[in-house]
């Protein structure tokens, strides 16, 4: 049995094959105040500097706590009215945030740290969002492909969401972890939503798929896993977060603190999968059956410098950055309860 096959549990394989096994919620609150004062609403006294916020966000499953906070009135209890603006991708949302169109934005950490390193803007991490969990981001292939193990990926065409994205970083880091040379691979930029079709049509040899596209590909065309990217050096890797400009956080400290408290509470509630599963078809645009079986990232709220530093370190290793980024200086610490 290969390392790749051991990494994919039998339960995960049943899910990917469209079986009746239901994947449990794979969620964790990273210092999100499950106990203590941060659980209570502390900002609903009208004292925030800016009550109406625009948050740029993609229609992806790891934003379940954000939508839960809106739906359940958690933001309102903190004195905030949050408008979630759907964006095409994290980089576009970050650009809009830097330009002042959004107050806070969701994105993978890769564009946050890349922009900070290049001096495009002075950015701050307001809250953590999602970290890798088993069977949530996987390199897949079609059943007719000869690719079956990570070693088979050498020299092949692999679909990623775009150059210098978290998807490219995960593919290369995973291949390196298995001792596979990726220098002769061709990386084809294809939106996640189009990757299942690209696999089925044989336009690529493999693709890195995240949920819900991973489950959809397995159900629609029998796509099979090659390597789970949440293994070895990538286990529990922070993937996504919420950021803002330093100017916004400095001018609106009470607003940011209220947003952080709300996300703490939302992530705590999201530990109960039954509270977020009904929301998935609405904002992630997936059917109820898919919502019931997909694996979920680990939901987090508190940004931890040690954990997050892993991302720019990997980015520098693979040439995404040419200098170090001090993550600790970018994190907005939560206010005392």
């Amino acid at each position: 049995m290969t390392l790749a096959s051991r990494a994919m549990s039998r339960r995960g394989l049943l899910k990917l094959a469209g079986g009746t096994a239901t994947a449990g919620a794979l969620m964790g609150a990273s210092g999100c105040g499950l106990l203590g004062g941060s659980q209570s609403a502390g900002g609903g006294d009208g004292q925030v500097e800016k009550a109406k916020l625009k948050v740029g966000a993609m229609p992806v499953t790891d934003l379940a706590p954000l939508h839960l906070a809106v739906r359940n009135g958690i933001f309102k209890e903190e004195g905030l009215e949050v408008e979630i603006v759907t964006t095409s991708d994290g980089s576009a949302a970050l650009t809009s945030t830097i330009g002042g169109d959004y107050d806070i934005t969701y994105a993978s950490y890769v564009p946050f740290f890349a922009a900070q390193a290049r001096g495009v803007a002075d950015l701050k991490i307001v809250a953590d969002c999602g970290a890798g969990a088993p069977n949530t981001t996987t390199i897949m292939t079609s059943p007719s492909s000869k690719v079956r193990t990570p070693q088979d990926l050498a020299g092949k065409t692999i679909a990623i969401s775009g150059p210098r994205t978290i998807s490219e970083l995960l593919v290369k880091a995973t291949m390196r972890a298995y001792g596979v040379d990726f220098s002769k691979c061709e990386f084809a930029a294809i939106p996640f939503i189009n990757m299942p079709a690209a696999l089925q049509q044989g336009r690529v040899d493999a693709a890195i798929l995240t949920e819900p596209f991973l489950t959809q590909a397995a159900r629609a065309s029998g796509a099979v896993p090659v390597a789970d990217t949440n293994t070895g050096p990538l286990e529990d890797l922070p993937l996504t977060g919420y950021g803002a400009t330093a100017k916004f956080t400095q001018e609106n400290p009470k607003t940011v603190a209220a947003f952080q408290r709300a996300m703490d509470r939302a992530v705590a509630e999201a530990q109960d999968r039954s509270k977020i599963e009904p929301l998935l078809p609405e904002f992630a645009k997936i059917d109820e059956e898919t919502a019931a079986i997909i694996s979920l990232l680990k939901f987090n709220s508190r940004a931890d410098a040690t954990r997050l530093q892993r991302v720019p370190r990997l980015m520098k290793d693979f040439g995404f950055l040419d200098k170090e980024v001090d993550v600790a200086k970018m994190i907005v610490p939560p206010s005392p309860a």
Side-chain angles (χ1 to χ4, degrees), residues 11 38 97 123 191 219 301:
R11 190 179 189 185
S38 61
T97 301
L123 299 172
R219 293 176 63 196
S301 59

Side-chain angles (χ1 to χ4, degrees), residues 19-306:
T20 58
T22 300
L26 294 163
M27 301 175 286
S30 177
C32 65
L34 294 174
L35 300 172
S38 61
Q39 271 284 78
S40 60
D45 55 4
Q47 296 303 307
V48 297
E49 299 88 356
K50 186 173 185 179
K52 294 185 177 181
L53 295 180
K54 283 189 176 182
V55 178
M58 296 167 61
V60 290
T61 57
D62 45 327
L63 287 172
L66 179 70
H67 289 269
L68 186 70
V70 172
R71 178 66 61 88
N72 289 6
I74 297 175
F75 282 125
K76 286 187 177 180
E77 292 176 6
E78 294 290 350
L80 300 175
E81 181 181 332
V82 171
E83 177 188 356
I84 301 175
V85 183
T86 300
T87 64
S88 59
D89 61 72
S91 295
L94 181 57
T95 299
S96 294
T97 301
I98 293 172
D101 294 330
Y102 307 143
D103 302 302
I104 295 172
T105 194
Y106 156 92
S108 85
Y109 283 118
V110 168
F112 279 128
F113 297 140
Q116 187 76 7
R118 294 198 306 267
V120 173
D122 188 5
L123 299 172
K124 297 294 182 182
I125 304 300
V126 173
D128 197 8
C129 181
N135 304 336
T136 56
T137 306
T138 302
I139 300 174
M140 306 282 285
T141 190
S142 69
S144 60
S145 170
K146 294 182 179 180
V147 174
R148 283 295 178 269
T149 70
Q151 287 69 31
D152 295 333
L153 293 170
K156 298 298 191 294
T157 299
I158 304 171
I160 58 173
S161 62
R164 294 185 175 270
T165 58
I166 187 67
S167 62
E168 181 182 351
L169 186 65
L170 289 174
V171 168
K172 289 183 175 180
T174 299
M175 291 180 69
R176 186 176 71 174
Y178 283 103
V180 183
D181 180 12
F182 54 78
S183 63
K184 295 182 180 179
C185 289
E186 179 180 345
F187 295 97
I190 299 174
F192 284 122
I193 194 171
N194 296 331
M195 286 186 190
L199 280 176
Q200 192 172 14
Q201 296 164 7
R203 291 188 283 122
V204 295
D205 299 300
I208 179 168
L209 286 162
T210 187
E211 291 286 27
F213 311 108
L214 190 158
T215 294
Q216 290 171 341
R219 293 176 63 196
S221 62
V224 293
V226 177
D228 188 339
T229 64
N230 186 61
T231 57
L234 301 180
E235 184 174 355
D236 197 34
L237 183 74
L239 300 176
T240 59
Y242 298 94
T245 63
K247 182 176 184 292
F248 178 83
T249 63
Q250 290 162 4
E251 293 178 352
N252 303 279
K254 293 181 181 179
T255 300
V256 171
F259 182 88
Q260 291 174 323
R261 287 192 300 269
M263 292 309 301
D264 282 351
R265 296 173 58 202
V267 166
E269 286 194 22
Q271 302 310 302
D272 181 353
R273 181 172 178 136
S274 67
K275 292 187 177 182
I276 61 171
E277 193 172 294
L279 301 178
L280 298 179
E282 180 180 331
F283 75 85
K285 309 304 180 186
I286 57 178
D287 60 84
E288 293 182 2
E289 185 178 354
T290 299
I293 65 174
I294 62 172
S295 297
L296 297 170
L297 293 175
K298 293 181 180 178
F299 298 144
N300 298 315
S301 59
R302 295 287 177 93
D304 178 81
T306 301

